[in-house]
Amino acid sequence: IQAKLTIAMPRLDTTGDLVLLTNISEDGIVSGLQSRYKSDKIYTWIGTGQVLLCVNPFKMINKLYSPATLKTYMNRRPYENPPHVYAIAEKAYKDLQETHKPQCVLVSGESGAGKTENAKRLMEYITNVASSSDLKSAKSSASSSIKDKILRSNVLLESFGNAKTLRNDNSSRFGKLMEILFDYGGSIVGGRVTSYLLEKIRVTQPKEGERNFHIFYQLCEACSRGEYQELGLGTPDCYAYLLRSGCFKVPRMNDLNEFHDTEQAMDAIGFTADEKTSLFKVCAAILNLGNVSFVDAGAEGSDIDPASNDAVAWVAFHLCMDEGVLRHNLTHRKIEVNGEEFQKPLLPEDAIRSRDALGMSLYSNAFSDIVKKLNASMESSGMESSRIGILDIYGFEIFEENSMEQLHINYCNEKLQQLFIELTLRAEQNEYAKEGIKWETVNYFDNEPVVKLIESKRPIGILALLDEESVMPRATDETFAVKCNKHIQNKHFAPLGRTHFTIKHYAGDVTYMNAGMLEKNKDQLNKNLVEMLQTDVQNEYIKSLYPVVSKSHKKPPTVSTQFKKQMNELMDNLSQCNAHYVRTIKPNDQKRSGVYEAAMVKNQVTYLGLKENVIVRRAGYAVRQKYEEFFSRYRLLSDEVWPFGTGDVISDCETILNSINVTSGYEKGKSMMFIREPTTLFALEDARDAKLNMVAAKIQGCYRAWIAIKYFLELRKKADEVFGGKKRRAGSVHLAFHGDYLDCKSSVSLSTALTESGEYISDIKFADRVDKINRKGVVQERLLVITSNAFYFFTPDMEKAAIKSSNPLNCLLGMSLSSYADGYCILHFTDHDYVVNSRRKSEIVMVLKERYTTLLESELPLEFSDRIEYKTWGGGMFRSKSITMNYITFEEDRGLPDNNVEFTMAKETANTMKVRVPTNLASRAPIGLNDSAPSRSVAAAVGGYAAPVKNTYSKPPAFNGGGAGGGGYGRAAGAGPPKNPYSSYIAKTAPAPSPAPAPAPAPAPAAKSNLFGDDDSEDDDLF
């Protein structure tokens, strides 16, 4: 931690932080950005992790957004990597996980400065890092589906909401707030899109040199290549709404490929084939609608120009309605006089306005429906805890002709600039003064008077006057201008006669023309056209765009009223979030890579207030937090204040800082702790993470212990049922069960061997050191590993562990045990058997029993006897394939010390081994767990042999479900024995068992089983 606090801050060309500039001036900032721009370093910090600047390169930079680059920013602090949009995305996600408070990233800048691209990269990073944190497969699958929809939503919204402008080839002509919804664990559970003010005037009046919305050109290109032939579309120059701008192609944009991407996005989001076709029909209808022209019909008003008959027929075809009804409604409007409705003929110019209003209305409603479907498809799939919002909204615009669209767009940017100033400059400086922190005030451009000029009601502002005139029956654009000139007294407003007015925005002076403002603000579609779309259209999708609503005497809200309401709701939403900023800068107006116009950049540096922001960040404090919040979050770092503190919260906070060797670089306010350097916060967070990991490890340990105890208690009951009074109990049944006693993951060789066998460390159910008795009675130490599917013996050296033998568990036929409390168990497999001695015999039995039941859906056969028959392969250099039958006998020896089990080879026969068991593990051992006194009621009487148990496992049993002659193991009839993939040997028919031996003479000198070592001359693991 101390090392992190003493890191020397690098130069600007390394970290790209303007706070480190020696010359903090607008020229110094412009020069610093230019030097980085020339090196393709387009991102720069203002205070590491605080505000990110991006200068649009107008080209693709190699590996800038590659998957490898994305990974380098995951789980990294902002200062650990060069500045990048991924760094601020990581910070937003990290803050969400740590505080569980809503986050937002505000992407702002001029049109063409790169806002849309940065917003896409933010979503790309956040969805990727959130998906990588999902652990459960089901959760990961759901999260991945939502992630895909969030990313594809960009494609769909760009096709229908973006267009080429003079300044930007892919300009967003609507505002968008994309909110990614998370559960408490940081997994994506949903998404939500809010759209703002689609520039629908572009549908009918695209400007010269620009394009209409991308989707129109995509459809025309697709139809020219034989797709969607039923739409009957030609090339873009066939349609007046597209021909008007004179621009049909965009360099580096393939409309056909973009169309296919759009279709795929619609499929992913849930559009049906009929809905897609219907949506495309709406677009085709709009294009043909623009080709409908009108002629003067005298007293009849107007009529359809005969040259437009084909266009009208196509519109009727696409809208699925009668052509005659369409013709009538395009040339008439419904009016109401004294409660009675009349059809009024329209003059040609009025019919054109009505036609254009219909085209804009169709497109606007279709766009709103797309957003609605997007939200339905991304609806939260789990408990929503918090969110990250990414705001991509139109940039500040200044054109030769600016109308109501630009007024609304620039008003929106004024509101965002006001929020930026409030959160980064005004609030910060006010907080220092309030908390008694020494501070020299930094002056900045305050745009609040401009915001009031546009939106205020008292004194009346521009939008309020526009709404007032919009309801006046005889109002005109000229009367609106007269009222503005008379009532508005604001130094940022300059009237220019009755045709124009100028507003002095924070980004520069913009002159707006009055012409058309009232009509655009009313934005009302003739009533008869609305009713036509509700009743005469035979397409359910198109009908759904115009739902029937109950009649109301209230006038519908104007466009300005709706937009102002949306902006206020947006500001309320953003003010509830922890804000992060990406401020984009446009280096030239020609959209040329490598061109950096210093004067243009300086203008943006000025009106964005970047110099003031750098000064405040450099002189200010990166972190400020209420004492109570600081203490609550970091108290675990100091034993002196953990857990309840001393009662003096200010002193406790200082103690916490001192505990990680922070003795300077902070100030104590009246109610808050102020920390100057971000690295101090990072050190606090890293130390807290490390401490939480320790705490988590302790909690996990306690939990695992509780699980083990619970499992042990359950096992006591299960084991008593399993052994059913057939075996005396002591030792292993009282041990806590842990499974992996070898810590297998620490052995590279063992892990590798398992991986090569198709297993994983996570598959291990049991692992421990055991004694394996080979066919000559030699005790060999082995590592026994039981996985979900197989049974392994490894060599005993953990560093060089190698598989000596193995068998799949579906080849296990059963187990045999003595009636005594010894540690021996015999495992019967299809080809040969194993004799194993382990103090954890009970756990081995229970693990194998559970796995057997899971794999074969039947109970593991268990035999209890003091004389057990088992099979081995023949010996010799070439290992004879003949099967040899052997015996192991168990008897009580009252002369042995307690707990001292001895094992010998019987003298009288070469294929019999003897295990002598002391009294405390024989007659004095309880039969059941609840026995308070010894009992002799066992399968074999103490001091003598029971009748030998014939080895029923010498051949695989018939799998007939336990019927007569079937072995009784509950497998499916006729299924045959499971094949052993681990051995090429096939079990032979066992020879007749040897007769039971006579009582043995005095045993040969015994060796204790735990003293036997490996016999290198007979390392027989095929036994």
Side-chain angles (χ1 to χ4, degrees), residues 654 657-658 662-668 673-676:
E654 193 167 19
L657 287 171
N658 293 339
V662 176
T663 56
S664 62
Y666 64 88
E667 290 288 341
K668 295 178 287 184
M673 176 69 76
F674 290 81
I675 299 174
R676 188 177 297 278

Side-chain angles (χ1 to χ4, degrees), residues 403-404 477 513-521:
S403 187
M404 192 180 77
D477 294 326
M513 58 181 184
N514 291 318
M517 278 207 177
L518 284 183
E519 191 67 31
K520 291 176 181 178
N521 195 44

Side-chain angles (χ1 to χ4, degrees), residues 771-1011:
D771 287 337
K772 186 183 76 67
I773 318 301
N774 75 5
R775 63 186 178 80
K776 291 188 175 182
V778 177
V779 177
Q780 299 171 325
E781 184 182 5
R782 290 287 181 264
L783 306 180
L784 170 61
V785 176
I786 303 174
T787 68
S788 299
N789 302 299
F791 179 98
Y792 297 87
F793 279 123
F794 284 82
T795 53
D797 187 349
M798 285 286 287
E799 294 183 3
K800 301 178 182 179
I803 296 176
K804 293 295 293 181
S805 61
S806 58
N807 261 298
L809 294 183
N810 61 7
C811 290
L812 179 63
L813 303 180
M815 293 183 67
S816 296
L817 303 97
S818 76
S819 64
Y820 297 122
D822 56 89
Y824 285 87
C825 56
I826 292 83
L827 289 81
H828 303 283
F829 282 89
T830 54
D831 49 5
H832 61 280
D833 302 336
Y834 296 99
V835 179
V836 176
N837 182 22
S838 170
R839 63 193 296 260
R840 295 189 171 90
K841 171 189 76 268
S842 292
E843 185 168 357
I844 294 173
V845 171
M846 296 306 297
V847 168
L848 289 174
K849 186 176 186 301
E850 289 178 357
R851 293 309 306 155
Y852 189 94
T853 301
T854 301
L855 293 172
L856 301 177
E857 298 181 355
S858 62
E859 290 295 321
L860 174 67
L862 294 176
E863 297 284 356
F864 297 89
S865 175
D866 294 339
R867 180 177 174 80
I868 300 171
E869 184 181 39
Y870 61 95
K871 60 184 180 296
T872 65
W873 295 120
M877 181 179 298
F878 301 103
R879 294 189 185 275
S880 167
K881 292 185 179 180
S882 63
I883 288 179
T884 302
M885 302 309 297
N886 301 279
Y887 296 91
I888 183 168
T889 63
F890 298 82
E891 62 182 39
E892 180 175 1
D893 187 337
R894 300 187 180 187
L896 287 176
D898 283 357
N899 300 319
N900 193 10
V901 178
E902 292 189 349
F903 168 81
T904 59
M905 289 294 293
K907 283 186 176 182
E908 67 279 7
T909 175
N911 65 343
T912 299
M913 292 181 283
K914 181 181 294 185
V915 177
R916 294 189 295 144
V917 184
T919 304
N920 75 308
L921 299 180
S923 58
R924 287 198 287 115
I927 295 175
L929 293 176
N930 299 320
D931 288 354
S932 58
S935 170
R936 297 175 64 87
S937 178
V938 291
V942 175
Y945 296 136
V949 174
K950 182 173 176 62
N951 185 353
T952 58
Y953 313 115
S954 58
K955 290 191 296 185
F959 302 118
N960 62 357
Y969 302 129
R971 297 191 177 95
K979 185 177 180 180
N980 180 356
Y982 292 81
S983 173
S984 61
Y985 298 108
I986 301 176
K988 309 291 185 181
T989 302
S994 303
K1008 296 177 183 178
S1009 60
N1010 59 357
L1011 294 179

Side-chain angles (χ1 to χ4, degrees), residues 595-606:
V595 177
Y596 187 92
E597 296 179 2
M600 183 176 183
V601 173
K602 184 177 180 178
N603 181 53
Q604 294 170 77
V605 168
T606 300

Side-chain angles (χ1 to χ4, degrees), residues 546-710:
Y546 292 88
V548 178
V549 295
S550 57
K551 291 186 178 181
S552 173
H553 295 292
K554 287 185 178 181
K555 287 187 175 292
T558 64
V559 173
S560 294
T561 297
Q562 294 178 63
F563 187 63
K564 187 165 68 172
K565 180 183 177 183
Q566 278 191 314
M567 285 299 99
N568 289 331
E569 290 174 350
L570 174 62
M571 294 305 121
D572 289 342
N573 186 339
L574 298 180
S575 63
Q576 297 172 15
C577 302
N578 179 31
H580 309 265
Y581 301 95
V582 179
R583 315 218 77 179
T584 57
I585 294 174
K586 189 175 182 180
N588 66 77
D589 260 334
Q590 297 78 42
K591 297 176 280 190
R592 292 173 55 194
S593 63
V595 177
Y596 187 92
E597 296 179 2
M600 183 176 183
V601 173
K602 184 177 180 178
N603 181 53
Q604 294 170 77
V605 168
T606 300
Y607 73 67
L608 289 174
L610 298 187
K611 183 188 76 172
E612 293 78 9
N613 199 239
V614 171
I615 293 172
V616 170
R617 289 293 173 186
R618 182 164 179 167
Y621 296 83
V623 184
R624 75 290 315 273
Q625 204 167 16
K626 292 283 186 183
Y627 287 120
E628 293 76 14
E629 294 177 2
F630 185 92
F631 172 76
S632 177
R633 183 164 185 80
Y634 301 113
R635 56 183 170 170
L636 77 168
L637 300 182
S638 172
D639 293 336
E640 296 180 41
V641 302
W642 173 263
F644 302 116
T646 63
D648 184 348
V649 69
I650 298 178
S651 175
D652 289 345
C653 290
E654 193 167 19
T655 300
I656 292 169
L657 287 171
N658 293 339
S659 70
I660 61 167
N661 299 320
V662 176
T663 56
S664 62
Y666 64 88
E667 290 288 341
K668 295 178 287 184
K670 295 177 181 177
S671 64
M672 303 177 77
M673 176 69 76
F674 290 81
I675 299 174
R676 188 177 297 278
E677 297 295 339
T679 48
T680 304
L681 174 66
F682 302 147
L684 281 165
E685 287 297 326
D686 288 343
R688 183 175 181 271
D689 287 346
K691 197 78 171 182
L692 284 175
N693 286 337
M694 293 171 58
V695 172
K698 289 183 179 179
I699 293 173
Q700 288 171 349
C702 292
Y703 177 73
R704 290 192 187 103
W706 176 79
I707 289 292
I709 292 170
K710 182 173 178 286

Side-chain angles (χ1 to χ4, degrees), residues 157-170:
L157 291 174
E158 282 185 19
S159 291
F160 284 86
N162 286 25
K164 177 195 179 300
T165 65
L166 295 174
R167 296 186 174 187
N168 185 359
D169 289 344
N170 188 34

Side-chain angles (χ1 to χ4, degrees), residues 151-298:
L151 295 179
R152 288 183 183 271
S153 70
N154 278 323
V155 177
L156 186 57
L157 291 174
E158 282 185 19
S159 291
F160 284 86
N162 286 25
K164 177 195 179 300
T165 65
L166 295 174
R167 296 186 174 187
N168 185 359
D169 289 344
N170 188 34
S171 176
S172 296
R173 306 318 299 164
F174 71 107
K176 175 182 66 178
L177 176 65
M178 168 61 79
E179 293 177 290
I180 306 173
L181 311 179
F182 300 85
D183 63 14
Y184 194 82
S187 295
I188 298 175
V189 295
R192 183 167 53 234
V193 179
T194 305
S195 64
Y196 303 94
L197 190 67
L198 177 72
E199 187 194 27
K200 56 187 177 182
I201 189 68
R202 180 170 295 271
V203 174
T204 60
Q205 300 176 37
K207 295 179 180 178
E208 185 177 353
E210 299 188 347
R211 288 211 315 179
N212 213 311
F213 292 103
H214 293 322
I215 187 62
F216 292 120
Y217 305 90
Q218 293 175 11
L219 272 174
C220 288
E221 186 67 22
C223 288
S224 70
R225 301 297 181 92
E227 301 179 38
Y228 288 95
Q229 294 273 314
E230 67 271 24
L231 297 180
L233 292 178
T235 55
D237 57 1
C238 296
Y239 303 99
Y241 284 162
L242 307 184
L243 185 63
R244 189 167 295 170
S245 71
C247 178
F248 307 117
K249 292 287 184 181
V250 178
R252 299 179 299 278
M253 185 177 287
N254 187 311
D255 288 320
L256 183 62
N257 291 344
E258 299 283 340
F259 178 73
H260 292 155
D261 290 342
T262 301
E263 276 200 297
Q264 291 174 10
M266 295 173 78
D267 291 338
I269 288 157
F271 276 79
T272 65
D274 287 344
E275 287 173 336
K276 281 199 301 182
T277 301
S278 296
L279 179 55
F280 295 151
K281 281 186 174 183
V282 169
C283 296
I286 292 169
L287 290 180
N288 283 285
L289 191 63
N291 287 355
V292 177
S293 57
F294 304 89
V295 294
D296 193 338

